[in-house]
Amino acid sequence: MIACKLAALAQERLCSLALLNATGGGFECFPKLNRQMMSLASNRDNIQETPVKRLCNTHNIITVNGQFPGPTIEVKEGDTLVINVVNKAEYNVTIHWHGIRQKRTAWADGPEFVTQCPVKPGESYKYRFTIEGQQGTLWWHAHSSWLRATVYGALIIYPRGNNSYPFEEPSREVHVLLGEWWNANPIDVINEAQRTGAAPNVSDALTINGQPGDLFNCSRDDTITIPVKAGETTLFRFINSALNTEMFVSIANHKMTVVGADALYTKPFTTSVIMISPGQTTDVLVKMDQAIASYYIAARAYSSAQGVAFDNTTTTAILEYDCGYSTKPGPGGISPIFPYLPAFNDTATATAFTTSLRSPAKVNIPEPVDENLFFTFGLGLINCPKSQKCGGPNNTRFSASMNNFSFVLPSQVSILQAHRYGLEGVFTTDFPSKPPVQFDYTAQNISQALYQPVKGTRVYPLKFGSVVQLVLQGTNIVTGENHPIHIHGYDFYILAEGFGNFDPKKDTLKFNLVDPPQRNTVGVPVNGWAVIRFVADNPGVWLMHCHLDVHITWGLAMAFLVEDGVGELESLEPAPVDYPLC
Ligand code: C2O
């Protein structure tokens, strides 16, 4: 029933070690068919509660098919997927296929109240979409409240037919899902924060493939072990599925050659550490050229905000050369070698990594620019309603915004549905193309008068085919921070990034118009900016937001409304028959 490459490799070549959480349950792959029918549900398996033990405690968590992390979806470029999501949990849920372009199929994108109403308990929805022009590592996750803390998994797109990778064929492949674990129900954590206006509690542990690893009590026996063989090359597909933590990742004594990011190939370059933000993926080749031993893969936070609490734990997995080599300290065992990790606030290392990314060859940069946009974004504080006590700084509630608008989701209908069927009063099309007030965005002492955003559901309309250039400018309101900004339904070129305020005169000269990297999520430098460019060639409503979930909860989001072009191939498909209504 399951024809999944990882499991096959593990069985063929290695003794029976758990390479990763095996895919199984009600998940079916038919890799040779062009049209694939996959089910994230069967009679037995679905989105449901499952008891899981971590950090010495057992909790019921929401899972897909009883697995944590959820099942891996492995497909080929060109495949059409039909994924039936059956909700047997007690919460409303939607699933987002992070990074999938969803050409003409915005109905299947997933963000709650943006492209669909949630799938209610007891109901189901079939997500249908085709994967076109994308290869590499993506992932899927719940896009409803904080359910994605436990509802997420890898989505791997292999080249079609006889095509292979544009780099040395690896002997093995593994995916490494970085995550966060709370000793509490994550939905309770965010609900409590929403009630008081305070920042939510940080997670209790970072995880690799759902496991905190060797540095935690009660976790050592379950540490993920990745078997490798001396002389071979392994492709690691790193995915940051954590809610709120950007991370540095290193492998002791091994260099990593970066070959892809966000399902787009990159010009290979070698590094000993990667920085990866929530939402992003990074593919690296690692040559097993060290002595036969065990080595830790370790990850911990890159935390760029000042005075903000973060999960400062370190998660580990073990790279184990040749099967059966003893990895545990104790009689006859030797501790694995530990890698160097940068300091939590090492912005220089984060920047050195992100600015090394390039497209593999010269690209045709879309031009001329039709839409020149400038969006500021960051945190804010909202005054506490009279007669209440609020948990934010100085009796306020935390907030966040783009161009001073704090995004509010509708609750009775999705924006896409309202757009398609002309329903009035759900959203307005007046999201501003530049900040309403100009100020020194990254100054140390920004006037408190600028701290309070305005709530609203405003979208920015785009004509089909228009070339969009967007300056993403971080602010230092409350605190500056590296924010991973993600656009649904699009990949974009990152032409340049820098610190301070974007200056069109001198910074335009720094644009890389030759081989800029293309991604779906850009980590905009702390108190800095990034300039991105894309063609609005995908009709629908597309959420853009910070992928730190705490910030999306506070409103750090907006949406683009891309109009239909001419003819069927430039227009949104009709809504699916089982499209969920509120
Ligand atoms: Cu992975 Cu709206 O995001």
Side-chain angles (χ1 to χ4, degrees), residues 144-165:
S144 186
S145 182
W146 272 23
L147 280 178
R148 82 172 178 88
T150 58
V151 177
Y152 63 88
L155 198 173
I156 295 170
I157 310 164
Y158 295 102
R160 173 127 231 115
N162 296 327
N163 294 344
S164 58
Y165 303 128

Side-chain angles (χ1 to χ4, degrees), residues 1-8 23 27-32 74 158:
M1 182 168 80
I2 318 285
C4 291
K5 201 165 172 184
L6 276 173
T23 52
F27 177 71
E28 297 161 36
C29 305
F30 302 103
K32 287 201 187 79
E74 292 183 286
Y158 295 102

Side-chain angles (χ1 to χ4, degrees), residues 189-200 380-385 388-399 550 553-554:
V189 172
I190 189 57
N191 286 349
E192 174 62 9
Q194 289 282 82
R195 195 179 62 75
T196 65
L381 298 173
I382 286 188
N383 291 338
C384 196
Q388 274 182 33
K389 279 254 347 108
C390 291
N394 305 316
N395 195 36
T396 58
R397 296 181 61 88
F398 272 110
S399 182
V550 52
T553 310
W554 291 341

